[in-house]
Amino acid sequence: MAAAMNDKVTDMGAIARNPAWLAHRYDERQDRLHLIHVDREQRASATFLTDEYLKPDPPLVVTRSAMLAEARAPAPIHFIFHSAYCCSTLLARALDRPGVASTLKEPVLLNDMVGWRHRGGTGRQIAMVMDQGLGLLARPFVAGEAMIIKPSNLVNGLIPAMMAMKPDAKGLLLYAPLEQYLSSIARKGLWSRRWARELLIKQIRDGAIPFGFEQSDYLELTDLQVAAVGWLAQKAQFAALLQSLGPDRVRSLDSDRLMADPAGSMTELIRHFRLSIDDDGIDAILAGPAFTTDSKTGNAFGAERRSDDKRQAIVAHGEEIAMVLRWTEELATRFEVPMQLDHGLTG
């Protein structure tokens, strides 16, 4: 069971000011935050900031007002928004540099805002708590650091609100080209295909599928068609964000370009996020574990391994992938969704 805390205990201030007490969950029914203790090393090593990877002790439960009254000022915030299967965790690992930036990989608190929205929470209620929650997530370990948050792509429907709340924030819109995306899902099998359907269900709830499908139409789609519809809906959203916010606020990057030119991509991303990392620092990042080991398994990884995985998927599922690619391109043309986004991070 969660450990409850009296709001007036003397150590509330120390807890609120200590960024190791991660604002992990929000219970809107009782207006309480669930805090778990996750130090910087644990955050860096965990694939995602979820119970599955953190295996935390029972949370400390505090009122939102008590936490906000004592919390230290947040660091500058920037975001890595993504479509999944696109090396977003790699980038979050790469940018975690003590004294420069700290990164948060898919904090569950933001997922709770989506769940609250689906349960009928009002826009005003959710906006207030999410704004405050972002501030609590951005408490820095070291003065002068930036905080880079990589939300789950389930949170993409809230991107406009997050960018409006943090007018100084920069965002990256990271995506995998469709063939790479479909290859990853096909290669990873049943659970990945199931994930694609779960994503589409949430996008439908968010009203984020602008392609004229009837409810019964979705039942006729194959797994990879479902994945492609979800991918294309995210691409439509990203294109709209690029147009509305402009390249000073958000830039795009596809994972193939990232892996083909990691040095150029990292140089431009560091410039976009206004981080103080010099050429030697970039070289250290490229030689470090983010670019040389798989973020989820710890196995050796790199551009060649990613290409090999894609080739294996094409060998096993090439006919299906090719058919879905053609179908999606026709859908994109009909609804004027670009397959390649503007305002690319690199040339």
Side-chain angles (χ1 to χ4, degrees), residues 36-53:
I36 58 174
H37 195 273
V38 188
D39 63 26
R40 182 166 199 151
E41 183 177 348
Q42 289 173 299
R43 293 188 191 189
S45 62
T47 302
F48 303 124
L49 297 180
T50 62
D51 290 348
E52 177 185 358
Y53 292 97

Side-chain angles (χ1 to χ4, degrees), residues 83-86 174-178 180-181 231 235 254-255 306:
S83 67
Y85 298 109
C86 57
L174 180 66
Y175 64 98
L178 182 56
Q180 177 68 55
Y181 184 80
W231 179 91
K235 188 62 75 67
D254 76 66
S255 58
R306 186 172 171 86

Side-chain angles (χ1 to χ4, degrees), residues 2-6 32 59-62:
M5 165 173 275
N6 186 300
R32 290 179 180 269
L60 191 65
V61 180
V62 302

